[in-house]
Amino acid sequence: MINELKQKLLANFNDVQVNIPEDNRMTVNTKKESLLSLVSYLKNMGYNHFAMLSCVDWIDDKEFELIYIISAYPQDDEHYQDKEKKNILLKTRISRVKAKFITIISIFENAEPYEREIHEMFGIHFEGHPRLTPLMLERDYKIPPFRKDFDTNKYVENTFGKVPSIKERKEGKK
Amino acid sequence: MNIIALFVSPLIALIAGMFFLGLSRKISARIQWRYGPPIYQPVIDVIRSFSQKSITHGKFFDFGIILSLSSSFVLILFLPIGKLCALTSGGLIAFLYLMLMGPFGIALSGAAAANPNSSIGISRKFLLALAYEVPLLLVLLTVMTHYHTISLVEIVNIQANSGWAFGSWALILPGIAYLLILPAILGMRPFEVVGAAQEISSGPIAEFGGKHLAFYTLQHALHVFVGIALFVDIFLGGWTFFGLLNPLAGTVWAVIFGIIIFLLKMTLVLFIGLFVNAVYPRFRIEQAMQYLWKWPTLISFVGLIIVVLTK
Amino acid sequence: MDRNQIGKWLKNPGKMANKYSFHVVYFCTGCGIIEVPPSITTRWDAERFGIIPVATPRQANLFLITGYVSTKTLAAIIRTYEQMPEPKYTVAFGSCPINGGMYYDSYNTITSLDKYIPVDGYIAGCMPRPEAIFIGVTHLWKLIDMDKADGYKRYREDYVHYRANQEQILGELDWPPLFSKENL
């Protein structure tokens, strides 16, 4: 089943590298231009559950790697088992400088909060996203906090460490 | 006699009500295999609440809880506790009117607090009152028809001569119906929809703190006392116990032992409520209304028809 | 009831009642809350000491913060603390509110709670066992006896400084000051 899909993908797309590290899991490395068509192709093939969008910061390569996890459930099987679930990891790399990419909301609507989160934590701008407002964080960070060049120790020292204790503040005032 | 009753009966009701609250916490704990708090724990809670600073949300917030507490005290005066009854006139009709004043006062306070949880709790409280008032009215109507009187004292006295109402075949159906709605009157599970702590942050009392909470606890104690005492007075014959007090008739000892017998009977009824409370989960409000308008109403209606036909 | 305590009860009933009737707001910020259900149910039964959970801060007098405090939760903690009626006591549970714990270098978690609200006692550990809650409570009893659990008094006295610290982290606060100059 999953080998058939591998053959189909290799036949239909030029620039994909397909690995099957274990049963029911497949990683597809692709160029960023062909990702959107690949996602919609997989959706038509029955892989209609967009599970997660993740991101890796490869700081030495000056690239971000976006990972789209898409899975399918056997529809004709009444006694569904978890090991029969098929996962596909779509990996693509984008430039780290002025990082931007295209949204996949038109294909999977539930990608919206994931893209908002990635925008918030890594600073990747998704073109066509309706609202890239802060999702979880309330503070302003000059560098988005999940990037590798964000120094947490230094940040904590400069913000939370700079808050004086009440005793110090009392003495400082007097 | 009446003057003494005026002061003594609210005091007895308050002490017994607090004792019942403590007892219910202790018994629930024992059912759950816990050691449980000391029996005087509600008293400590009330003292603590009085010692705390209270925050008010306006005049109606203060007025509502005071109205609720004072109307509960007035309600006690209409209730024969053993042989003690301060206001013998009025009877069940006045009793029914005053019984709604307690929830009404708390609703007034909760509405003034303007907390959304309070609003939900109040709407549930009135819906639940609406649900249990129908069978309660039918039950009381049956009793009044059967005994040809609206006076609670007379109902108790008739039972002293002719045996408990719960034992007579004509009034057993209304008795069962009252037992079915008793958890709803006391606000216990499965009808704990009003003060659902996990669901709507304890409902109408969500904004109560300090003295308001203390007043609410006192009012709740009185409410529990009234709900059970009404059942004991109407169906279990009040102070009577198979002619046990006949030799003492006319003395002070008869009054004192009458009160003790009355309280023992109340404890027994409370235990039934507590066991139901310990094992059942909570109804949703519409399930509670469906239940209350179906079974207790049906049973009490059949009881009313039987009593009317046989009279 | 211990007979030796009757004198204390008559002398200062409010203080003694505060000791033996802790109505607790369990603030479930992190993993620490998993230790609370066993401690209030059958196995450890906190109710025998008068400790029961309540649903709203208005009815409470003990504030138990179980776990790490992110900046967003800090605002909720401050508001909850300010809604509780006095006298009120705060206990921080676990090592995260003490010095940040394993989140010491997190970009979004404050390191020590007592810079923002007064804390009367700490229960250290990661995680403390439920027994530690009871030990903490008995220590709090001693502190109340000696009038050393005075967090709410310190908050009233040093409100300006606490508010300044809160504003340094949270920016402009969207609620008015609890104590203005008139009611200090």
Side-chain angles (χ1 to χ4, degrees), chain B residues 34 45 48 53 205 207, chain C residues 21 47 58-59 85-86:
Chain B
R34 289 189 284 126
D45 289 354
R48 175 198 73 101
K53 273 203 173 131
I205 59 164
E207 284 288 326
Chain C
S21 146
E47 205 182 356
R58 294 273 188 224
Q59 304 167 6
E86 290 176 2

Side-chain angles (χ1 to χ4, degrees), chain B residues 20-40:
Chain B
F20 285 150
L21 287 189
L23 195 68
S24 61
R25 278 171 74 172
K26 187 83 181 172
I27 298 292
S28 307
R30 297 306 293 169
I31 290 172
Q32 295 165 2
W33 283 38
R34 289 189 284 126
Y35 183 73
I39 225 155
Y40 47 82

Side-chain angles (χ1 to χ4, degrees), chain B residues 2 77-78 80 83-92 150-154:
Chain B
N2 269 358
L77 300 181
F78 285 91
K83 281 185 175 177
L84 222 58
C85 186
L87 300 171
T88 45
S89 62
L92 278 170
I150 63 161
S151 166
L152 267 169
V153 182
E154 267 186 52

Side-chain angles (χ1 to χ4, degrees), chain C residues 30-106:
Chain C
C31 39
I33 197 63
I34 208 68
E35 303 294 330
V36 168
S39 73
I40 58 176
T41 50
T42 310
R43 179 96 190 248
W44 276 283
D45 185 24
E47 205 182 356
R48 63 206 151 114
F49 302 115
I51 305 167
I52 56 170
V54 288
T56 71
R58 294 273 188 224
Q59 304 167 6
N61 65 344
L62 179 59
F63 192 22
L64 197 63
I65 295 151
T66 54
Y68 64 86
V69 182
S70 71
T71 48
K72 215 169 186 175
T73 337
L74 181 65
I77 284 178
I78 294 163
R79 296 204 77 165
T80 312
Y81 183 74
E82 290 186 353
Q83 278 179 18
M84 285 164 64
E86 290 176 2
K88 52 192 169 185
Y89 310 103
T90 320
V91 170
F93 179 83
S95 53
C96 298
I98 300 175
N99 59 1
M102 63 187 281
Y103 299 97
Y104 71 99
D105 63 346
S106 169

Side-chain angles (χ1 to χ4, degrees), chain A residues 50-66:
Chain A
F50 177 71
M52 200 173 118
L53 168 60
S54 176
C55 185
V56 182
D57 185 4
W58 297 104
I59 191 164
D60 294 336
D61 302 351
K62 296 189 176 168
E63 273 178 340
F64 283 125
E65 187 174 54
L66 287 170

Side-chain angles (χ1 to χ4, degrees), chain B residues 59-93:
Chain B
K59 287 202 175 73
F60 271 105
F61 190 67
D62 303 338
F63 171 70
I65 187 69
I66 290 170
L67 174 74
S68 174
L69 184 64
S70 51
S71 67
S72 295
F73 272 120
V74 173
L75 187 59
I76 295 294
L77 300 181
F78 285 91
L79 187 80
I81 301 170
K83 281 185 175 177
L84 222 58
C85 186
L87 300 171
T88 45
S89 62
L92 278 170
I93 305 289

